[in-house]
Amino acid sequence: MTKVDIFSGFLGAGKTTLIKKLIADGYNGIKLVLIENEFGQIGIDGGFLKESGIEITEMNSGCICCSLVGDFGSALKDVIDQFSPERILIEPSGVGKLSDVVAAVKRVEGTEICGTVTVIDASKCKIYLKNFKEFYENQIKYAGTIILSRTGNISQEKLDQAIALIREINDHSQIITTPWDDLSGVQILKAIEEPLTAADMAAALLEGEQHEAEHHHHHHDDDDDDHDEHEHHHHHDDDDDDDHDEHEHHHHHDDDDDDDHDEHHHEHHHHHHHADEVFDSIGFETSKRFTKAQIEEALKALDDNEKYGTILRSKGIVAGEDGTWIHFDYVPEESEVRTGASDVTGKIVVIGAEVKKDAIKELFGI
């Protein structure tokens, strides 16, 4: 059996950063294949992950719900036959539904899903949940482990708020809240493979105390709790059964539709959605040279939703005027611009909802 780990999470949550950390310190020496399925025409992530010497299958086929479930099975079989990996890491599109990916992997014989992870940017949890409920809720609901990113940069109050929102949707999975820099990849991987909740921990501690009757009585009570916890967990596994999953899934969407309908968030949110109906991307290649300041200015401008649409993520590698190459990453109100390795030509990808493509091309002077 080939073990499969799925790393889900909205655009720009930090999935790739997490995967790189786990590859460097966590999976340590086992034969890995990373499969990416990014939403958008140009695969940029593949480029810098190749440095780790991992075989990459890139499937930039737009809508994860249809194309991934359609041809994903045979692609996954090919990867297993060709590379016989000990472990496959799947980084699905940031705008995909985790339940779709789980169902697609389960249909491939010889695979065993080991970890289902959803990475959540703690500072953006509230706004994404409001605007992209159907996708965001699904990623939270079906995750075995939820890993919060960027927790070091926000207030305790904001962190508590994000955790409360997550717990309303998923009350049983392990949530990792510690900043990643304070954890080793080995620790994170252990939490993914064997999620230990507080209730499990309490039960284990109590078991270790072989004390008199009072304790024994207390232990017994706790066992009942633990049984519930186990049942609950078992129920979660059941959720993953295809038929049951479909049913849950469908029911869950009906609820969603009502909410969306009430909130009038996206006019076109009235039925069950595929990612390519709600999300949109523009990707282009360019030989143009930029200065760091020009890129920083352009990324700041993307915060203007009226002018450019709701931009959720932008990523690019472009030539710098001084002969260096500029690598950049953008999520709303936050961007990172650095110098990095050269590429065969410049690439820019912008992803969002109702993306105003002409305005974006103009912004980058294309």
Side-chain angles (χ1 to χ4, degrees), residues 129 133-141 169 252 256:
L129 207 46
K133 191 174 177 1
E134 188 180 330
F135 298 89
Y136 212 65
E137 249 187 14
N138 185 283
Q139 291 184 358
I140 294 170
K141 184 180 175 184
I169 300 161
H252 167 73
D256 266 351

Side-chain angles (χ1 to χ4, degrees), residues 6-9 15 35-40 59-72 90-102 104 107 135 139 273-277 279:
I6 301 166
F7 291 87
S8 166
K15 299 189 294 286
I35 295 178
E36 297 188 289
N37 186 76
E38 201 39 271
F39 183 84
M59 296 181 291
N60 297 299
S61 43
C63 166
I64 188 173
C65 311
C66 341
S67 53
L68 183 77
V69 176
D71 57 313
F72 176 71
I90 298 177
E91 183 185 355
S93 155
V95 295
K97 289 178 181 165
L98 180 52
S99 59
D100 284 345
V101 187
V102 167
R107 281 196 284 271
F135 298 89
Q139 291 184 358
H273 286 107
H274 286 317
D276 60 354
E277 293 176 66
F279 302 99

